[in-house]
């Protein structure tokens, strides 16, 4: 993929843990993406309402609006948006169940934390192609 296409690709990273959110945002920016971060699903919806994003990378377990609900809503409201999920497990269901639901509801891929950020970068570059 050419550098100009990567740089113009806008990705919203959503995670309630600051360190995770910023680590991913910085890795994406270092790879040439335009990355913006949000701390929860509600803030993500506010940012997405302005348009201009090509992809979302969301944690599954967050306060206010969890990632599963967010994925389901995005599939109904913004069908062209590429959606990726990530999880380290959560309080309400197993990782396997959360992963299956994320994929059923529209996540293109689910990354299990901790994961190598180059895998996400590769997936985003393939989604852009």
């Amino acid at each position: 993929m050419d550098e100009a296409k990567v740089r113009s690709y806008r990705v919203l990273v959503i995670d309630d843990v600051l360190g995770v959110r910023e680590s991913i945002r910085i890795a994406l920016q270092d790879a040439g993406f335009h990355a913006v971060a949000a701390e929860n699903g509600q803030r993500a919806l506010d940012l997405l309402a302005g348009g201009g994003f090509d992809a979302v990378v969301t944690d599954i377990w967050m306060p206010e609006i969890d990632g599963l609900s967010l994925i389901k809503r995005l599939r109904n409201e913004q069908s062209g948006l590429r959606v990726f999920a990530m999880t380290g497990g959560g309080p309400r269901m197993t990782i396997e169940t959360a992963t299956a639901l994320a994929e059923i509801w529209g996540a293109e891929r689910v990354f299990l934390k901790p994961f190598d950020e180059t895998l996400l970068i590769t997936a985003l570059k393939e989604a852009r192609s």
Side-chain angles (χ1 to χ4, degrees), residues 1-117:
M1 173 188 319
D2 90 27
E3 189 68 24
K5 284 185 180 179
V6 171
R7 291 206 180 282
S8 67
Y9 204 67
R10 291 178 43 95
V11 182
L12 179 58
V13 178
I14 312 153
D15 198 299
D16 58 315
V17 177
L18 176 63
V20 172
R21 181 172 70 238
E22 283 302 297
S23 174
I24 293 170
R25 185 189 64 77
I26 290 167
L28 293 179
Q29 287 204 177
D30 288 349
F33 292 97
H34 180 87
V36 176
E39 65 277 8
N40 60 52
Q42 183 57 58
R43 177 69 179 133
L45 289 173
D46 294 343
L47 290 168
L48 289 164
F53 286 96
D54 300 294
V56 165
V57 179
T58 184
D59 187 23
I60 290 179
W61 302 114
M62 298 180 293
E64 294 190 40
I65 298 174
D66 65 70
L68 292 174
S69 299
L70 182 64
I71 291 166
K72 197 173 189 181
R73 185 166 172 180
L74 291 176
R75 279 293 149 246
N76 290 328
E77 296 175 4
Q78 297 189 32
S79 61
L81 190 65
R82 307 302 288 262
V83 179
F84 299 86
M86 55 188 170
T87 187
R92 294 182 297 210
M93 62 186 75
T94 66
I95 287 177
E96 295 81 12
T97 301
T99 298
L101 284 174
E103 290 172 345
I104 289 167
W105 290 346
E108 293 184 35
R109 186 160 174 199
V110 179
F111 297 91
L112 300 180
K113 295 177 186 176
F115 60 90
D116 182 342
E117 291 160 347

